[in-house]
Every structure is written in structure tokens, then in C-alpha cells.
Amino acid sequence: MGNDDTIFALSSGHGKSGVAVIRISGNDLDEFAKKIIGRPPVPRHAYFTNLRDKDGEIIDQCVVIYFAAPHSFTGTDIIEIQSHGAMAVVSKIFRFLHESKMRIAMPGEFSKRAFYNGKMDLSDVDGLVALLDAQTEKQRIAALKSMMGGDSDIYAEWRNQMLKISAYAAAMTDYDADDLPGNIDTTIYENIKQLYTAVSAALKRYSTSRAITCGINVAIVGETNVGKSSLFNRIVGSARAIVSDIPGTTRDVVSATMDINGYLVNVSDTAGIRDTMDTVERIGIERTNSEIDNADIVIHVITPNDSQIQIKPGEILVVNKSDTITNHTISGAIYTSAKTGDGITELMSILGKHINKIAGGGESVLMINARTYDLVKTAADELKNAMDKSNGDYDILSEHIRYAADAIGKILGVISTDEVLDMTFSQLCLGK
Ligand SMILES: Nc1nc2c(ncn2[C@@H]2O[C@H](COP(=O)(O)OP(=O)(O)O)[C@@H](O)[C@H]2O)c(=O)[nH]1
Ligand SMILES: [Mg+2]
């Protein structure tokens, strides 16, 4: 796929819409822009024009904007056509562009051009991927920060320091100690230690960044028939789970995604835990156990009749069916009635507090994703190796620091393999 090809894509969403945005990227598009606008275009000016096909027939009334390289999203020339959103209009424009020797873009190809032209680094692209996926306010804030270079700045600063240390260390081996500043060796180790602290702190907050990007997992657990499914329905606010008084009705895990305090939350109703001979139900119970392992927050439901309370630390204890009793005797528990709705507001408020605790202040955290986690971890490990394994040998120290710098370089795409690039860009949709 030639980098010099002129490519186009529908950048707005598919389906019927008021306006469709079609983007064209290529070199020397000013001639083509002039042809469709009908006069030499001033870059970044909007022109209302009758877009005509090659036979001169009007396709649609459009707004056309010409962006001259390098001042565009991709760094190439770009023409943006805003047409009416009907599929027939978009198809006709596509046919016209095809006939004008242009080809349809691959997913992520626009961003790939932006990357190759130095408009974005890979960390910015990660931010863009996350922004296009953002469903909640917190996801939007974190992704936008990352896309706008907030994370890149941190990575670039780390990498600069690593390269500086590596250069110092190389100087230690090349020059006589007498020719170097007196405290250079302590300075080197001090700097590595500070960097290691910063990198490993970011790594420790991975769970926070994961909670924002992937969502916070909440599992509703407890014995059968205590009202878990009924509570789930109350929490989710819609009848998603099967409610029945036959024990063991919920045999699989039912999940719903919600927005609580701007965070993405995955709530799961689970099969009740009890000894059972039923194979299907047993599978449900196994799934429940793995759901509990994955849960960030566990809501443990019992009823007022339960004399034995076995909850684990950190679980939210809920005594459901509060409508059947008059006294609230268990301290620290939230009394609810899925039947009357009593106590649900309190439960939601406690749940909100737990969620804030897990993901709170997460906007300021470095957004580490599956791709970057291993690389940040490698950097931290190599910094530690430099401190622990070099024993004053500056060649070895310098090598470990260089490995750390390479790992961070891969996050930014300064050092990149085709594999990394393909993985990053393929996540993007057409037109980005
Ligand atoms: N009185 C009363 N009955 C409830 C309440 N919540 C659930 N139930 C009933 O308890 C039975 C079991 O409910 P279900 O949600 O299927 O429980 P699960 O097995 O834990 O999922 C059903 O008959 C529900 O109508 C409640 O708060 N009060
Ligand atoms: Mg159930």
C-alpha cells in the first residue's frame, strides 16, 4: 500500500446522518481541490460548492475545506468534503473519487500517515484509540489528555534522562575519573534511583488506569434466592436478569455496563453459590467464582434469616428483603429491599464511594494499556538491573539503561517495529 497514494474514507459514522464527512489525504491535492471548488482554494477556508462528477452532473451541495501540508491532521494535503449524510450521496462521491484515481483508506491509515509525518507519536495514537472508544466522562478526560501528548511528555522526559545517564556512564568508561566532576558516580546512581521510583510508581497505578479504560468490575454474590438478580435489576435500572423463586435460576453470569460518577462500571449478577448436582448450574457456579476473582468490588448479599455471615474483607455487605423485618441488627451492613426499593439509594451511594476510591483522581495517572504495560515494566526492571547488577561497571550499567530507554522509545514509536505499528493502527476505524 503506497504511502504516496491518494486515499479517502468516510470519517463520520456509517448509517443515515445529517452530514457526512469524507476525507482525502495525498500529495499535491491543490489541483483537485481547485477543480471541485471551482477556484484556487485558500487553505482552511470553507467553500460551499456544487460537487460535480466527471460528467459535470451535480452529486450534492457540499462544504469543501482544503488543508495544505504540513498543516493538517496527517501532515499531507487533505481535502474534507462535508456532504449530506445519505448513503446514496456518500456512495456516489466514493465512485467519483475512485474514478479520480484515489483508493479507499485502510483502517487507521490516516493516523499512520500522521505518525510517519511526525504529527503524532504512538502514545498519542493510543490516546486517540481510547478517545474514539470513550463511553464515560472520565474516559474522555483521560484519553484526551493522552491524545494531546500529556503521556508522551512524561515518557519523553524519562527517555531523555535515561539517554543522559547512559551518556554519563559511557563517559565514565572513556575518561579518567580525574577528568570528570567529582561526584558524577553518586549523581548517576541518584538519578537512576529517582527514575526508577517514578517509573515503578506509574506501574503501580496501572490498576487505576485499567479501571478507567476497561471499567470497574462489580460482582453481586451470595447464596441462591437471597435476591441477587432482583438487586441487579434495581441497580441497573432495567429488567435484564431472570427473577424467579426457583433456586438456581440464574445459571450464568449476566452483566450490564453502566456509568457511575463518570466511570465505566461492569455489574455482574452471578449464580448463587451452593452445593449442587446440576451440571449446568455447577458451570454457573464456576463462572461465579472466576467473576469474584476478577471483581474490583464484591457486593455480598444475605437475608435477615442468615445467621452465619461469611464475608471477606472489603466486600460490601447487603442484607436484602428488609421489608420482611423491622429491626436492623447487623452493624456495618446496608439493608435493602429489592421488592420495595428501600435502601437502594444508600447502596448506590456506598458503591459510588468504593468506585471513587478505586479510580479516584485517575485522570492524572499515566494511561497504561496492554501494549505499553510490558514496556513500562521492562523499563522499570532494567533501571533496577542497572542499580543492582552493575557493581560499578559502567559499561554494564549503561547497557541496562539503554534497554530501559529503548523500551520507552517503543512506547513513543521512536523505536518501532512493523508489528507494533500494525497492532496500534489496526485498532482504529476507517477514516481515522
Ligand atoms: N420480600 C422480598 N422478596 C424478595 C426481595 N428480593 C427478592 N425477593 C424474592 O426472592 C426470590 C429470589 O429472588 P432472586 O432475585 O431470583 O434471587 P437470587 O437467586 O439471589 O438471584 C424471588 O421470589 C424474589 O421476588 C426483597 O427485597 N423482599
Ligand atoms: Mg439470581
Side-chain angles (χ1 to χ4, degrees):
M1 289 285 153
N3 230 3
D4 289 330
D5 292 358
T6 299
I7 55 172
F8 65 90
L10 180 64
S11 293
S12 52
H14 283 266
K16 195 172 164 183
S17 65
V19 176
V21 176
I22 297 159
R23 267 188 185 161
I24 308 166
S25 153
N27 300 321
D28 306 319
L29 288 179
D30 49 336
E31 270 308 311
F32 187 75
K34 185 177 155 192
K35 195 171 109 188
I36 59 175
I37 292 168
R39 58 190 137 146
V42 178
R44 291 189 274 175
H45 278 234
Y47 294 92
F48 183 67
T49 187
N50 290 332
L51 185 70
R52 292 169 191 273
D53 67 12
K54 65 179 190 355
D55 301 325
E57 192 194 325
I58 298 175
I59 302 173
D60 189 17
Q61 291 194 307
C62 300
V63 170
V64 176
I65 306 168
Y66 167 66
F67 299 85
H71 304 293
S72 71
F73 170 67
T74 48
T76 64
D77 280 353
I78 276 197
I79 295 171
E80 196 170 292
I81 300 173
Q82 301 175 9
S83 70
H84 290 97
M87 273 328 287
V89 173
V90 173
S91 304
K92 182 92 176 157
I93 295 175
F94 270 30
R95 213 172 318 144
F96 168 57
L97 298 179
H98 254 303
E99 286 165 1
S100 307
K101 309 236 168 338
M102 302 177 184
R103 70 165 167 84
I104 201 145
M106 310 285 289
E109 197 170 1
F110 281 80
S111 305
K112 208 170 192 170
R113 287 191 173 182
F115 169 73
Y116 280 122
N117 289 327
K119 288 279 171 180
M120 303 177 101
D121 62 34
L122 276 194
S123 171
D124 301 335
V125 177
D126 283 340
L128 172 63
V129 172
L131 184 63
L132 294 177
D133 274 343
Q135 296 177 72
T136 70
E137 180 63 359
K138 301 287 182 183
Q139 287 182 323
R140 182 189 66 78
I141 294 169
L144 187 69
K145 186 193 106 214
S146 175
M147 188 192 71
M148 290 176 69
D151 291 354
S152 306
D153 290 349
I154 296 170
Y155 289 128
E157 174 60 24
W158 286 351
R159 186 161 175 272
N160 276 343
Q161 288 190 30
M162 288 166 188
L163 294 176
K164 217 152 78 187
I165 296 169
S166 180
Y168 270 140
M172 297 291 284
T173 55
D174 292 346
Y175 294 92
D176 232 20
D178 297 344
D179 298 336
L180 295 165
N183 56 353
I184 187 162
D185 44 356
T186 35
T187 309
I188 287 176
Y189 276 94
E190 248 336 287
N191 285 349
I192 298 175
K193 203 170 139 193
Q194 276 174 17
L195 258 180
Y196 174 71
T197 310
V199 176
S200 45
L203 212 53
K204 276 200 199 101
R205 301 195 66 191
Y206 173 58
S207 60
T208 309
S209 114
R210 194 195 57 87
I212 292 175
T213 46
C214 303
I216 298 151
N217 299 324
V218 177
I220 305 173
V221 306
E223 305 262 312
T224 47
N225 247 359
V226 294
K228 295 180 299 301
S229 298
S230 310
L231 269 179
F232 172 85
N233 287 342
R234 281 279 183 189
I235 290 174
V236 174
S238 63
R240 277 281 310 270
I242 304 159
V243 179
S244 145
D245 52 6
I246 306 160
T249 305
T250 310
R251 293 177 167 194
D252 205 349
V253 175
V254 179
S255 297
T257 305
M258 335 168 39
D259 181 331
I260 299 179
N261 302 346
Y263 294 106
L264 184 73
V265 180
N266 313 310
V267 185
S268 305
D269 179 22
T270 65
I273 301 159
R274 60 169 192 161
D275 287 331
T276 175
M277 296 308 289
D278 183 311
T279 333
V280 180
E281 199 188 337
R282 274 232 298 265
I283 294 169
I285 291 171
E286 274 163 31
R287 294 220 181 124
T288 296
N289 288 330
S290 85
E291 202 66 31
I292 295 172
D293 290 342
N294 280 334
D296 299 300
I297 298 167
V298 171
I299 297 176
H300 196 129
V301 187
I302 59 171
T303 65
N305 300 330
D306 294 316
S307 48
Q308 284 189 334
I309 311 158
Q310 290 179 325
I311 69 154
K312 299 197 184 92
E315 290 183 347
I316 299 175
L317 178 62
V318 170
V319 184
N320 190 41
K321 309 198 183 184
S322 64
D323 54 291
T324 60
I325 46 151
T326 44
N327 289 331
H328 296 183
T329 49
I330 304 166
S331 69
I334 304 159
Y335 279 76
T336 63
S337 168
K339 192 174 175 185
T340 66
D342 186 45
I344 301 297
T345 312
E346 196 197 346
L347 174 60
M348 291 309 283
S349 143
I350 300 278
L351 186 58
K353 279 185 188 145
H354 275 71
I355 288 163
N356 285 350
K357 210 157 115 196
I358 288 174
E363 301 94 331
S364 61
V365 82
L366 202 60
M367 279 295 119
I368 297 176
N369 60 25
R371 176 181 85 84
T372 50
Y373 179 84
D374 284 347
L375 294 166
V376 177
K377 173 99 172 59
T378 304
D381 291 348
E382 290 298 345
L383 288 167
K384 192 153 171 40
N385 286 343
M387 290 189 290
D388 296 351
K389 293 192 178 159
S390 56
N391 290 324
D393 182 329
Y394 285 94
D395 270 341
I396 295 177
L397 181 139
S398 165
E399 192 162 294
H400 284 304
I401 300 292
R402 229 178 15 250
Y403 289 150
D406 282 358
I408 302 298
K410 282 178 189 160
I411 294 177
L412 293 168
V414 188
I415 298 165
S416 54
T417 61
D418 285 348
E419 206 180 327
V420 170
L421 294 182
D422 286 348
M423 198 174 91
T424 306
F425 291 106
S426 64
Q427 296 174 72
L428 285 159
C429 41
L430 285 165
K432 260 295 170 190

